[in-house]
Structure formats: C-alpha cells, structure tokens
Amino acid sequence: MTEVATSAAPRPRLGWAAAMAVALLFAAMIFAFHIRDIGRPMLLDFTNFWATGRLALGGGAAAAYDPAALAAAQAAAVGPTSAVMPYPYPPALMLVTAPFALLDYHLAFALWVVAGFALFMWAGTRLAPAPLVAAQPAVLINGMIGQTGFLTGAILLAGARLLGRRPFRAGLLLGLLVLKPQLALMLPVAVIAARAWPAIGGALASASALLLAGLIVFGPDSTRAFVAMAGEFGGIVGGDRLSWNELASPFGLLRDLEIAPGPAMVVQLGCAAFAAVLCWKSWREGWAQRVPLLCTASLVASPYLQSYDTLPMLAAIAWFRPHAPVKALALYLLCLAPVASQSDLVALPNSLPAAALLALALLWRERRQEARGQMTPTRLPAASNMPRISPT
C-alpha cells in the first residue's frame, strides 16, 4: 500500500509548534542549568576541555594525560573535587578547545555551547526545519555538559550530504572525525561502495593535517601520552567501570541489562554487520535513503557510543517527517527516553540503540517497498539538496 504524505495543512503547523515548544523548553533548561552551575560549579565534560586547554596554553599539553595534573587543572575551574575526569582525546582536539581556555571558565562554557549549537543548526537545517533540529534530544545533553556532540554531529551530517555531490569536499569534512574515530567506522563502507574516490584524498588531507598540527603545536610527548591513555581507557570501556546506561550502543544496552560481555559483543558485531550491509547497498545502488542510512549506521558501528554523540539521528527523523510522520515521531520518542532517564525523572533503559536499529530497518523496508512498486519512490527532502547517484 502506498505510503504518502496526506496530512492536512494544520498537522504540519501542529508539528512545527510542538517542536518549537520542545526547543524552547530545552533552551530554558540549559539556561537554568548554567545559572545554577555558576553558583555551584560541577565537574562536567567541558570542565575537562577547559582544563586541558589551560594546560596546553601553559606548554604542558602532555600533562592532560596525567591524572594528578589534570585533577589540579579541573579544580581550578570547579574547585576541589575527589573525582578526576580522564581525557581520552588526541592532542589535536586541544587546537579547538584551547582558545576557549583563554576566557573565564563560565564565559568559555557559554560560548562553547552557543558556537557548537550554531554549527549543528547550520548543518541540521539543511535536512529539517530549525525547530525540529533544535528539539533533538541530544541537544539538551550537549547543552548542559558541553560535550563535542554538536561539533561531530555537524561534521557527520554535512559530510554525508556532500558525499554524493562533492566527494572531495565531503572528505575534507569527514576527515575531521579523526577527533572521534568511533563515529567514522562506516565512512569507508560508503565511500568505497559509491566509488567516491576523491573523498579518500580529502579525508586523508584533513585528518593528517589536523593530527600533524597537534603534533607540531603540542609536541611528541603529548602524542605518546595520548597513546598510553588510549590503551588504559580501552580497559575502562571493556571492564565494568562505566555507567552502561549512558552508552548508546547495542553493547551498552545489553550490558545494562546484565548480559555477559561476550554475548553482548556478539550482538554488537551482528548489528554493526547489518548496518554495514545496508550502508554498502544504499551507496552502491544509489538509494534515495543513503544519507540517513549512513548517518544512522555510523551510530550502530561502535560499542563505545555515548548518548551525546547521537545527534546524527536527525537524518533519519528528518527523512520520515514529510511522508511518514508517525515513524518520525516513534524514532524521536525513542531518542527522548534516555534524556528523561539521565535526568533522574524516570528509570528507563537507554533506547537510543533501539532507535538507530529501528531507523535502519524502516529505511530498508521502505526501499524494498519502492523496489516492489508497493509505494511511490520517496523523494529527497528539498532542504537537503542531496543528488542521486546513478546505480552502477
């Protein structure tokens, strides 16, 4: 049966108003959170970025990977604390964060959130109306804790859109994900499937330039310290020292449900393989659904994925919004549930892995229906300006 948009005019207006209301609610919650944080500073993710930026500006970038030095730098922002937040990022990220460390901590925090949000809005509004972009659940998480989700989400969304039309330029963007390589695992699948060879050159150029700049500016000691920290952090991820409910991967969900690590990893690998097959077919055959498939598959590939990294789910939600709003709403609600859980409003499993897997299944089903002539082929959203790739 053909599934097409049959909504009357008031229904899109209602959806726009609902998204705007959620976006304004998120903005108010983020503002209130930061006002409270000024009086009672907390150890948050941005604290880490500001502290390591201070260390880098002082010529001690390698100290960012030393727990004692890092704890002292974090205390300079939020006061003495018994905890220390590790810094499992390459020195190149300090090229982005160090300029913010030139400012007062709270002013830097506010500017970091505003700049990141603006970047995500720039990328997201190519796919969906601004209220829906601003109402994405992970916006609230990133706005409160100051993580890199806005930056990486914008890179993945913008790069995926450009891949079929401007592959070299897309590669230049996507190569920046070297800062968080767990989000880039599906990119080689799409690039090779689409034979978008210029993207490889672009990605190698930007990734190499970024890493080399970090090496030159911060010295080889910081790179050696990072490599040592990466090995130690891998043990943290593989052990039981994480809050599994915060992970947005199938592996994290199963560990949260007290499934043993071995079976949980087998399921994770199976889900990643399913995502890779769909990503390959969609880019090889030029499916209209290839961009949301790539963005969503990228969120299934890695066992280590945090909830704040899931802003690229916007691509799938925006895809279904015009012609299958019920599906879009279902995906959105699955993305929203972890926000309520992490806010201690209600205890729920992290449903973000379910959202990503459901989106993959729905996109695949839609393509199969189109191939069988059971529904009108879906057009790419006008706002996305994504060209079709001729099947090869």
Side-chain angles (χ1 to χ4, degrees):
M1 182 176 180
T2 303
E3 183 177 2
V4 295
T6 58
S7 304
R11 190 171 297 177
R13 288 201 296 269
L14 178 61
W16 190 95
M20 178 61 76
V22 173
L24 291 174
L25 175 62
F26 283 178
M29 293 174 68
I30 292 170
F31 180 77
F33 180 87
H34 285 278
I35 292 297
R36 185 184 67 175
D37 190 58
I38 292 175
R40 292 179 294 166
M42 294 177 285
L43 183 61
L44 299 168
D45 294 64
F46 180 75
T47 313
N48 211 4
F49 300 141
W50 186 86
T52 53
R54 278 290 172 102
L55 290 172
L57 292 172
Y65 305 99
D66 175 62
L70 185 55
Q74 291 172 355
V78 299
T81 175
S82 59
V84 58
M85 186 176 293
Y87 186 76
Y89 305 100
L93 182 59
M94 294 185 222
L95 294 170
V96 180
T97 59
F100 291 88
L102 292 168
L103 306 173
D104 170 77
Y105 171 69
H106 292 290
L107 175 60
F109 200 163
L111 289 178
W112 170 263
V113 170
V114 170
F117 178 70
L119 191 62
F120 175 65
M121 288 294 294
W122 166 79
T125 49
R126 270 65 180 173
L127 297 167
L132 180 59
V133 179
Q136 291 305 297
V139 165
L140 182 62
I141 303 174
N142 282 281
M144 285 185 172
I145 68 175
Q147 248 294 338
T148 58
F150 287 139
L151 173 63
T152 56
I155 291 171
L156 183 53
L157 289 173
R161 283 185 58 252
L162 286 173
L163 185 57
R165 179 167 53 97
R166 299 281 191 274
F168 182 77
R169 192 176 300 177
L172 287 175
L173 274 173
L174 295 171
L176 301 178
L177 287 178
V178 71
L179 297 174
K180 275 203 172 179
Q182 67 266 36
L183 293 174
L185 297 180
M186 287 293 164
L187 298 182
V189 176
V191 168
I192 295 172
R195 299 178 183 176
W197 310 125
I200 297 177
L204 288 175
S206 60
S208 300
L210 190 58
L211 293 177
L212 183 60
L215 178 65
I216 293 173
V217 173
F218 301 121
D221 287 345
S222 62
T223 299
R224 284 192 289 265
F226 163 67
V227 172
M229 161 57 75
E232 179 181 342
F233 194 73
I236 295 175
V237 175
D240 286 318
R241 289 182 283 172
L242 284 176
S243 175
W244 297 117
N245 187 256
E246 294 179 4
L247 289 190
S249 65
F251 176 77
L253 175 60
L254 293 176
R255 293 295 290 124
D256 187 46
L257 297 175
E258 301 184 352
I259 304 299
M265 184 56 70
V266 169
V267 173
Q268 170 68 46
L269 293 174
C271 293
F274 170 65
V277 169
L278 290 184
C279 187
W280 174 273
K281 286 181 65 64
S282 65
W283 284 88
R284 172 63 76 178
E285 299 173 8
W287 296 4
Q289 297 88 349
R290 64 190 178 277
V291 169
L293 272 168
L294 172 57
C295 292
T296 308
S298 298
L299 303 181
V300 175
S302 173
Y304 182 70
L305 185 83
Q306 294 277 1
S307 297
Y308 51 70
D309 289 320
T310 59
L311 283 170
M313 274 297 298
L314 169 67
I317 294 171
W319 175 265
F320 286 114
R321 181 190 65 86
H323 65 279
V326 173
K327 294 176 182 177
L329 180 59
L331 294 175
Y332 180 85
L333 292 177
L334 285 172
C335 293
L336 184 63
V339 174
S341 179
Q342 293 180 20
S343 302
D344 296 326
L345 298 176
V346 61
L348 295 170
N350 192 325
S351 54
L352 281 163
L357 290 171
L358 177 61
L360 290 176
L362 291 174
L363 289 164
W364 181 37
R365 180 174 180 269
E366 180 177 274
R367 172 62 185 184
R368 284 166 59 88
Q369 288 178 328
E370 290 176 358
R372 293 172 180 172
Q374 295 175 332
M375 65 177 291
T376 304
T378 312
R379 294 185 178 181
L380 294 168
S384 69
N385 195 27
M386 296 180 294
R388 295 181 182 272
I389 296 177
S390 298
T392 57

